[in-house]
Amino acid sequence: MAMMDNVDFLVSHIRHSFITSDDTGMCELIIECDVNGNDTRGSRTFSFSGPLKREISNLSNVSDSGLDTSDGDLSHSLDILPDMDYGAHRRRSNTAQRLERLKKEKQVQGKIKTVSWKAPQASLTAEELGYLFEKKDIKDNTDLVQPQGPAKVMSGLTKQLENVGKMGENPFMEYARFDGRSSVGLITKKIDIFLCMAPPDQRPYPMTVVVMSSAKVQDLIGLICWQYTCEGREPKLEKNVTKYCLHIAEDDGEVDADFPSLDNREPVSKFGFTKLALVENKPSTPKSTFVVTVNIPNRGFNKFQLDTINIPMRAILQKVINRRKIRVRPGLDYNLEKQKEPGVAVDLDQTLAHMDTLEFCLVRENSTRGDLDEVPRNDSSNVADSLTSHQYKSYMVTMVHKLRANTDVHLGVSGEKVEIDPVAVRGTARLFRQRAVTYEADSIADCHLLEKKANVYCLCAGRAVFRMTYLISNDYKHHDFEADQDVALEIVQKLKNILELRLSPIRKDFIATQDRKVKKRDSLKYSV
């Protein structure tokens, strides 16, 4: 009882008692507020003396955490460590633990059914008891084998081994190593496979296949064929696994035709589908093409490659107009005639299949085949020009520069390349001398006439300036040349025939870029 008179002991005891039970922390805060430094500690009195008093006084100067504290400091509560029994939550009370035990016992008792035994009122006869425990006849075991020795029962494994020899050799045996059912410690994947070649009554029921995750789609197809053959399913499969593919399937076995088949080179672990369908590849049929020829009188011809003949003749006419860049004016429409039937216009609403021919002629309405002046010469060429465009020819032209004097060059044009060879002139500084350069035909994007200069001294044709655009380092650049009008027109027409026949990717990209610019300019014009 004398120990209870020690104020320091009581404070330390109270703080230790509430360290895990006081969630609010108000107890420790009130004790700290009541004790005010050394003054309050000096006013404390002790009602006992002797050795016990000295021991308690020594204990009061040592904190529970092992650190010495001065007489003027308050006693601190015990630090909470991770290895303490209390843990991060407060300990449950005994009442709560007892209620939980009662709840578990009640749940266990709810599963127990108590049946009370009562003696029967009337005794059963021996005949009635016989129906309760009726004797059954055991059929003779057909699996008994009668060798020379004693009778021996054939196990299920022995029967399976004998049946394997009767089934014949499995052509897909090399894919059996991907079977995940016999793999221990390896990552496997379980997939339900719907068999589209099975009879209609068996298609809704998938075949479960366990495959190793390291296998590829091609290996999975072989494993499916191997398991299919081992199970003796009908009809028999082809011995070549490349004739089958895997498609995504619905839960009812319907094949999702919106998605292509799985790539045979991809690993099975890449896909997360659990329902697939084994589909037989359809034999690939050669794709038939049809070449339509449209002749333009005095302007050459155009050929179009079509995949089908069920195309309206109006669409073919529009293809010719777009390819030739013919400007259709109001009242001056064009039509098509069969090449062997001049003067008879075809019905543009009918298809090519009803024409019985693949060769036609473009004719303007209310005119004959020899009158097609509306077709600009610069946008088309005759047959002779088209055939001779690829032959090499050199021209003497002047190369136009912006910041220095123009230079005379030899411009060589062929179907493979364009060469610019400067003419040697004495007295020209090396810095301003034009270098020889060669451009591949596929790198040239366009060639067109810029301007015509009239000759004021005579009535003959003057000079003309044309521009050749080419692609270098992903950037379109150009060279301007000046020559006589006849020479300039011949060079432009020759390069245009080459570009039209080759139709390189650079040429296609340049035309598409120009069309986008024109549409953008027209949209801005109409918006204003």
Side-chain angles (χ1 to χ4, degrees):
M1 296 301 293
M3 187 178 296
M4 294 304 175
D5 296 336
N6 190 334
V7 180
D8 293 336
F9 174 76
L10 292 176
V11 172
S12 177
H13 180 70
I14 293 173
R15 300 183 71 181
H16 289 177
S17 301
F18 286 91
I19 188 171
T20 56
S21 59
D22 183 16
D23 297 334
T24 62
M26 294 299 296
C27 177
E28 186 173 356
L29 181 61
I30 294 173
I31 295 175
E32 288 183 358
C33 294
D34 292 342
V35 181
N36 296 323
N38 297 329
D39 298 339
T40 308
R41 180 179 178 87
S43 61
R44 298 174 186 169
T45 58
F46 304 91
S47 60
F48 58 92
S49 60
L52 182 60
K53 175 181 178 181
R54 289 194 299 269
E55 293 178 1
I56 296 175
S57 299
N58 294 334
L59 289 175
S60 62
N61 294 332
V62 181
S63 63
D64 294 325
S65 60
L67 298 177
D68 295 338
T69 57
S70 60
D71 295 338
D73 297 334
L74 294 176
S75 298
H76 294 279
S77 59
L78 181 64
D79 295 335
I80 302 178
L81 300 177
D83 56 349
M84 295 181 64
D85 295 335
Y86 296 106
H89 303 281
R90 60 179 297 184
R91 179 175 295 180
R92 300 178 61 187
S93 62
N94 295 333
T95 304
Q97 296 179 9
R98 184 170 177 272
L99 291 176
E100 185 178 359
R101 286 196 303 269
L102 293 176
K103 183 178 180 181
K104 290 182 179 180
E105 292 177 359
K106 188 175 181 180
Q107 292 177 354
V108 174
Q109 291 177 0
K111 300 179 181 179
I112 299 175
K113 184 178 181 181
T114 304
V115 178
S116 57
W117 175 260
K118 296 182 180 179
Q121 297 180 357
S123 60
L124 299 177
T125 62
E127 185 179 357
E128 293 175 346
L129 292 175
Y131 289 109
L132 297 178
F133 303 98
E134 185 177 0
K135 185 177 180 180
K136 297 182 180 179
D137 297 334
I138 301 177
K139 296 182 179 180
D140 296 337
N141 194 346
T142 58
D143 295 336
L144 292 177
V145 182
Q146 298 294 335
Q148 296 180 358
K152 185 183 295 183
V153 179
M154 182 181 295
S155 64
L157 178 60
T158 305
K159 291 190 295 183
Q160 290 182 2
L161 292 176
E162 290 185 356
N163 294 333
V164 168
K166 299 177 182 179
M167 292 171 57
E169 185 180 358
N170 193 328
F172 310 100
M173 186 62 66
E174 58 177 315
Y175 298 100
R177 56 193 175 94
F178 299 103
D179 189 7
R181 295 176 298 181
S182 59
S183 302
V184 180
L186 298 178
I187 302 176
T188 59
K189 190 173 184 180
K190 185 177 179 181
I191 305 176
D192 292 335
I193 305 297
F194 292 94
L195 306 171
C196 296
M197 68 287 301
D201 56 338
Q202 298 180 8
R203 291 178 187 175
Y205 305 101
M207 181 178 69
T208 303
V209 176
V210 181
V211 63
M212 298 173 60
S213 298
S214 59
K216 296 183 179 181
V217 176
Q218 181 82 11
D219 303 329
L220 175 58
I221 296 175
L223 177 62
I224 296 171
C225 297
W226 173 80
Q227 185 171 337
Y228 182 97
T229 306
C230 288
E231 294 179 1
R233 295 176 179 262
E234 293 292 339
K236 294 184 178 180
L237 300 177
E238 298 288 341
K239 296 183 179 181
N240 191 0
V241 296
T242 57
K243 294 186 177 182
Y244 300 96
C245 61
L246 288 176
H247 282 265
I248 304 173
E250 303 292 343
D251 294 339
D252 56 353
E254 183 181 359
V255 179
D256 195 344
D258 296 336
F259 295 94
S261 61
L262 303 185
D263 191 355
N264 293 342
R265 297 167 296 180
E266 296 292 341
V268 178
S269 58
K270 179 179 179 181
F271 306 99
F273 308 111
T274 58
K275 308 286 184 181
L276 296 176
L278 184 66
V279 182
E280 187 174 1
N281 289 325
K282 296 181 180 179
S284 58
T285 57
K287 191 175 182 180
S288 58
T289 57
F290 306 91
V291 180
V292 179
T293 304
V294 180
N295 298 303
I296 295 89
N298 302 325
R299 296 293 185 270
F301 62 92
N302 286 101
K303 291 182 177 293
F304 303 95
Q305 187 173 357
L306 304 176
D307 297 334
T308 177
I309 57 177
N310 296 324
I311 180 174
M313 295 301 300
R314 191 180 303 277
I316 298 178
L317 174 62
Q318 190 63 36
K319 285 179 177 292
V320 179
I321 294 175
N322 295 339
R323 177 70 64 84
R324 289 282 173 166
K325 299 181 181 179
I326 301 175
R327 183 178 299 176
V328 181
R329 299 178 181 178
L332 297 177
D333 296 331
Y334 291 85
N335 206 338
L336 292 175
E337 296 178 357
K338 295 182 180 180
Q339 184 66 24
K340 297 181 180 181
E341 298 180 5
V344 181
V346 302
D347 188 0
L348 299 179
D349 293 331
Q350 290 187 353
T351 60
L352 180 61
H354 295 83
M355 296 294 104
D356 298 331
T357 182
L358 297 177
E359 192 172 358
F360 302 90
C361 182
L362 178 66
V363 180
R364 191 178 63 193
E365 290 185 355
N366 304 322
S367 62
T368 60
R369 292 192 178 186
D371 187 9
L372 272 181
D373 295 337
E374 293 296 329
V375 180
R377 176 175 175 80
N378 294 335
D379 292 331
S380 60
S381 60
N382 52 32
V383 179
D385 293 340
S386 300
L387 296 177
T388 59
S389 295
H390 283 64
Q391 298 179 0
Y392 180 82
K393 189 173 183 180
S394 180
Y395 304 90
M396 184 70 177
V397 297
T398 301
M399 196 170 184
V400 181
H401 305 285
K402 291 183 179 180
L403 302 179
R404 55 190 175 95
N406 300 339
T407 56
D408 295 334
V409 297
H410 292 287
L411 184 64
V413 182
S414 67
E416 301 295 333
K417 58 186 176 179
V418 175
E419 299 177 345
I420 301 176
D421 189 12
V423 178
V425 179
R426 293 184 179 180
T428 305
R430 184 181 298 273
L431 180 62
F432 300 104
R433 189 175 299 173
Q434 176 65 35
R435 296 181 180 179
V437 64
T438 302
Y439 299 100
E440 298 293 335
D442 290 338
S443 65
I444 299 175
D446 186 48
C447 183
H448 64 279
L449 202 65
L450 282 182
E451 59 176 336
K452 294 181 180 180
K453 299 180 180 179
N455 195 336
V456 296
Y457 298 104
C458 61
L459 298 178
C460 60
R463 307 273 290 178
V465 179
F466 63 94
R467 173 172 292 177
M468 185 186 72
T469 306
Y470 59 95
L471 181 68
I472 182 171
S473 300
N474 298 326
D475 188 16
Y476 289 104
K477 297 184 179 181
H478 63 270
H479 289 309
D480 294 340
F481 302 94
E482 184 178 349
D484 294 337
Q485 285 190 14
D486 296 338
V487 177
L489 291 175
E490 182 181 350
I491 296 173
V492 171
Q493 188 64 36
K494 186 179 181 68
L495 282 175
K496 281 195 172 185
N497 291 337
I498 294 174
L499 295 178
E500 183 178 354
L501 292 175
R502 297 183 71 93
L503 200 61
S504 62
I506 296 176
R507 171 69 174 171
K508 294 180 181 179
D509 183 68
F510 180 80
I511 295 175
T513 304
Q514 296 299 319
D515 293 342
R516 288 195 296 268
K517 290 182 179 179
V518 173
K519 291 180 181 179
K520 184 177 181 180
R521 185 170 59 251
D522 294 342
S523 62
L524 293 176
K525 183 192 306 181
Y526 292 121
S527 62
V528 175

